[in-house]
Amino acid sequence: MKAIVQDRYGPPDILECRDVPAPTPAPGEVLVKVMAASLNARDWHVLRGDPYLARLAFGLRRPKAPILGTDFAGVVVSGEGFEPGEEVYGEFGGAFAEYVRVPADRVERKPASLTFAQAAAMPLAANTALQGLRSLEKGQSVLINGASGGVGTFAVQIARARGARVTAVCSARNADLAAGLGADRVVDYRQEDFALTGGRHDLVFDLVGNRSLRDLRRALVPGGTLVISGGGVFSGGSLFGPLGLIVRARLAAPFVKEKIVVLEAVQSRAALTALRELADSGQVVPAVDRTYDLADAAEAMRYMEVEHARANVVLTVHAAP
Ligand SMILES: NC(=O)c1ccc[n+]([C@@H]2O[C@H](COP(=O)([O-])OP(=O)(O)OC[C@H]3O[C@@H](n4cnc5c(N)ncnc54)[C@H](OP(=O)(O)O)[C@@H]3O)[C@@H](O)[C@H]2O)c1
């Protein structure tokens, strides 16, 4: 089968679309014919091996798993608990390929209302948004820093569906996108400092990692909740990236009056079921910026890194019937 392979860490150019053996599912796994796969910030971190410290998990000299990609939507070929031909979606390593083998609890029936491309955009990004906003209640106010990205575009819609008032922080070119998804107010981070003038919120969801803990806390009402997810943009290679903010947040958490949550989104079938219901009820519609063919994955990663993609970028792997 064709797959997007990386033999070392580096820029998008190092990615190769290569013939590799198709995977054979083990007991408890499902073999999926991938129709579409989406790019996530995680894939970029793995491609670059950035921050360097993350290589302890990804692989010291080169990625332990050579096939890139995490989020997919496709059709079941074989496997436990599913009928061949069932349309599914899920989250597992090696998704930038014609076929992927996935533990059965990481795959779920695809939202019927979505195309394969839309469904592929959901698992990791929308699950991160769902879990980051877990404590958000109706009538509360939430500020989302990084509202126009893969996670942020889902976060705006989920917050809105919960009945919250949403302040979205992103660049001016994406203001209409954020407003169209349901943001009540959009803050252009180049014109306005949300820590100073963005108001006080019950929950601040940080998806960028470029502000100090002090600034993020400043945007909260007394006793509010700060959710930190990571963040980080390429700046020639970083040792710690967003890990510095995360460590500071963990150290400060017991001593401050706000609640600080360092998000580690957990993948599960139950999460995919909840996301499917949000999609099929029309409360969440994935925003897809561009689609590329699988063979053009390097170009898609370059677009994401250099041209600052908005919302979700998707690879078409097999043509939909
Ligand atoms: N903890 C977890 O479990 C978990 C799971 C998934 C993802 N994450 C992390 O969450 C982060 C966001 O992921 P994503 O896929 O949404 O990334 P993304 O698609 O690249 O989105 C980045 C967002 O940041 C905004 N941004 C860029 N520069 C900014 C600046 N200087 N000030 C304010 N906003 C800025 C962008 O806005 P404009 O494009 O409008 O400039 C965009 O809205 C990633 O770093 C990822 O590692 C964590």
Side-chain angles (χ1 to χ4, degrees):
M1 67 168 185
K2 299 272 183 228
I4 302 304
V5 179
Q6 96 177 91
D7 294 322
R8 59 190 171 93
Y9 296 116
D13 302 348
I14 64 159
L15 291 175
E16 285 182 26
C17 184
R18 212 186 274 165
D19 284 314
V20 300
T24 311
E29 291 184 338
V30 180
L31 181 65
V32 176
K33 177 182 176 181
V34 179
M35 304 300 288
S38 77
L39 276 59
N40 282 289
R42 182 185 189 282
D43 304 315
W44 175 84
H45 286 293
V46 175
L47 171 66
R48 285 283 185 178
D50 192 299
Y52 293 121
L53 208 59
R55 296 184 188 190
L56 293 173
F58 300 156
L60 277 184
R61 287 166 183 271
R62 63 182 69 85
K64 290 180 212 159
I67 302 178
L68 198 61
T70 314
D71 277 355
F72 63 87
V75 177
V76 171
V77 177
S78 62
E80 256 176 48
F82 292 92
E83 293 296 322
E86 261 192 278
E87 295 185 353
V88 293
Y89 78 139
E91 179 182 344
F92 200 65
F96 293 176
E98 290 186 299
Y99 294 88
V100 64
R101 47 180 266 200
V102 190
D105 63 355
R106 298 282 186 85
V107 61
E108 171 61 310
R109 277 185 296 119
K110 155 184 164 296
S113 58
L114 300 186
T115 63
F116 284 110
Q118 289 174 314
M122 283 196 84
L124 194 157
N127 186 32
T128 304
L130 190 63
Q131 297 195 17
L133 298 175
R134 197 183 286 139
S135 66
L136 186 67
E137 292 173 13
K138 189 174 177 176
Q140 288 191 326
S141 169
V142 59
L143 180 140
I144 299 163
N145 188 32
S148 54
V151 179
T153 48
F154 286 109
V156 170
Q157 296 180 76
I158 291 169
R160 184 65 190 214
R162 292 264 172 84
R165 281 168 287 122
V166 183
T167 297
V169 182
C170 60
S171 59
R173 72 183 184 121
N174 290 327
D176 288 348
L177 170 71
L181 295 172
D184 299 283
R185 178 160 181 244
V186 181
V187 173
D188 170 7
Y189 57 77
R190 290 199 179 91
Q191 299 296 328
E192 195 180 333
D193 181 348
F194 71 78
L196 299 177
T197 58
R200 300 286 169 264
H201 307 272
D202 299 291
L203 194 149
V204 169
F205 191 9
D206 179 40
L207 296 161
V208 187
N210 66 338
R211 303 301 302 258
S212 68
L213 194 57
R214 189 158 170 252
D215 284 347
L216 293 168
R217 288 174 53 211
R218 213 181 260 167
L220 286 168
V221 298
T225 301
L226 170 62
V227 181
I228 288 177
S229 83
V233 287
F234 185 61
S235 54
S238 67
L239 181 56
F240 297 111
L243 300 174
L245 177 64
I246 289 173
V247 169
R248 280 193 294 281
R250 284 196 196 281
L251 291 174
F255 305 104
V256 297
K257 55 183 182 301
E258 300 88 7
K259 188 175 175 208
I260 300 184
V261 178
V262 176
L263 180 64
E264 285 176 33
V266 179
Q267 310 150 1
S268 66
R269 164 86 59 80
L272 291 166
T273 309
L275 295 177
R276 188 185 65 213
E277 287 164 3
L278 280 171
D280 281 344
S281 64
Q283 294 179 89
V284 166
V285 181
V288 176
D289 177 8
R290 284 194 188 177
T291 57
Y292 291 81
D293 287 341
L294 176 69
D296 297 326
E299 188 51 40
M301 290 298 293
R302 193 177 305 116
Y303 173 61
M304 186 173 157
E305 178 181 280
V306 180
E307 293 184 49
H308 217 134
R310 73 187 81 192
N312 299 281
V313 176
V314 175
L315 302 177
T316 304
V317 183
H318 287 97

